[in-house]
Amino acid sequence: KNEVEQSPQNLTAQEGEFITINCSYSVGISALHWLQQHPGGGIVSLFMLSSGKKKHGRLIATINIQEKHSSLHITASHPRDSAVYICAVLPTSGTYKYIFGTGTRLKELA
Amino acid sequence: EPEVTQTPSHQVTQMGQEVILRCVPISNHLYFYWYRQILGQKVEFLVSFYNNEISEKSEIFDDQFSVERPDGSNFTLKIRSTKLEDSAMYFCASSTTGYGYTFGSGTRLTVV
């Protein structure tokens, strides 16, 4: 069983849509990262969360520690948002290694 | 904004050859990591490095792999005798606290 599950695996959206990507995890965590991976392969950190909500531009990330769930929202999506979005969690087990989800591939249609 | 720099961006090597992947972490960071992503799969932890020694390693990180911080700025991953299954994207990351990471843009290793 995967410790970090993301849904959906694939997503196609029209420009301007409101997008939600979900991440559920089964372990206690001290932090959760949302990452963006472009077709070239490079990874960019979008948010690090341990509680509550963060917003940056059109991106909003929320986390519910009790529910072991986080969401990434993109408001007014744009073709340049096309990428793979990855959730990664840092367990509270005394380790500093992140456990990654399999990612959600977002394809934006102009 | 400070970056983690990885070189080369793409390396092709013959099976059995040694490769060294290089990373320059952010200068005041203390924790260093290597992860890899086989094409179509999720990112996997390889090794973490703190205070000039390995602090944690995964089952993947066997005797074929080694890491070094040779000069206080670079952080390298060496694969001694590459196998076809070592073909992957390798990511370096660094952190001040061990919590928030900055990732490099990756090195795509192709073993032929």
Side-chain angles (χ1 to χ4, degrees):
Chain A
K1 182 186 183 303
N2 287 328
E3 292 159 299
V4 182
E5 299 271 3
Q6 288 186 235
S7 64
Q9 290 187 341
N10 294 283
L11 188 53
T12 301
Q14 295 284 343
E15 187 170 357
E17 277 189 36
F18 183 89
I19 303 294
T20 296
I21 299 170
N22 296 299
C23 174
S24 296
Y25 50 91
S26 57
V27 296
I29 68 168
S30 50
L32 181 146
H33 246 150
W34 279 104
L35 305 156
Q36 183 187 54
Q37 186 172 33
H38 280 281
I43 288 178
V44 175
S45 176
L46 298 175
F47 296 104
M48 187 180 72
L49 295 164
S50 53
S51 64
K53 176 179 175 177
K54 286 192 176 179
K55 184 177 190 293
H56 181 71
R58 295 179 295 108
L59 300 177
I60 302 168
T62 63
I63 189 168
N64 184 320
I65 295 294
Q66 288 74 29
E67 297 288 324
K68 292 187 165 63
H69 182 267
S70 177
S71 293
L72 176 68
H73 307 284
I74 306 175
T75 64
S77 59
H78 188 275
R80 66 174 175 265
D81 297 328
S82 295
V84 177
Y85 292 85
I86 302 171
C87 171
V89 302
L90 189 66
T92 52
S93 55
T95 178
Y96 284 130
K97 63 181 185 187
Y98 274 82
I99 303 172
F100 283 70
T102 52
T104 295
R105 185 175 298 276
L106 173 63
K107 182 177 178 182
E108 290 281 344
L109 303 176
Chain B
E1 189 168 328
E3 290 183 343
V4 173
T5 305
Q6 287 188 245
T7 56
S9 56
H10 190 189
Q11 179 150 3
V12 181
T13 190
Q14 296 273 348
M15 193 167 54
Q17 294 294 306
E18 175 183 285
V19 293
I20 298 176
L21 309 183
R22 302 181 192 279
C23 171
V24 179
I26 294 174
S27 60
N28 62 340
H29 284 190
L30 302 175
Y31 297 82
F32 312 108
Y33 311 87
W34 284 101
Y35 285 75
R36 80 170 185 190
Q37 186 181 34
I38 293 171
L39 188 63
Q41 298 186 22
K42 62 182 180 179
V43 178
E44 304 172 287
F45 170 79
L46 289 177
V47 65
S48 58
F49 192 86
Y50 172 73
N51 204 24
N52 288 319
E53 61 182 23
I54 290 174
S55 47
E56 197 169 358
K57 60 183 181 179
S58 72
E59 294 166 355
I60 304 165
F61 194 88
D62 60 22
D63 292 343
Q64 294 283 68
F65 292 88
S66 62
V67 289
E68 260 192 343
R69 192 155 157 78
D71 56 12
S73 59
N74 290 284
F75 179 53
T76 62
L77 174 70
K78 182 192 289 187
I79 309 174
R80 287 191 182 80
S81 178
T82 49
K83 304 186 282 282
L84 293 176
E85 54 264 38
D86 294 327
S87 294
M89 192 79 159
Y90 288 81
F91 292 101
C92 174
S94 69
S95 173
T96 48
T97 62
Y99 291 94
Y101 283 12
T102 301
F103 282 92
S105 53
T107 293
R108 186 173 298 283
L109 177 65
T110 303
V111 183
V112 296

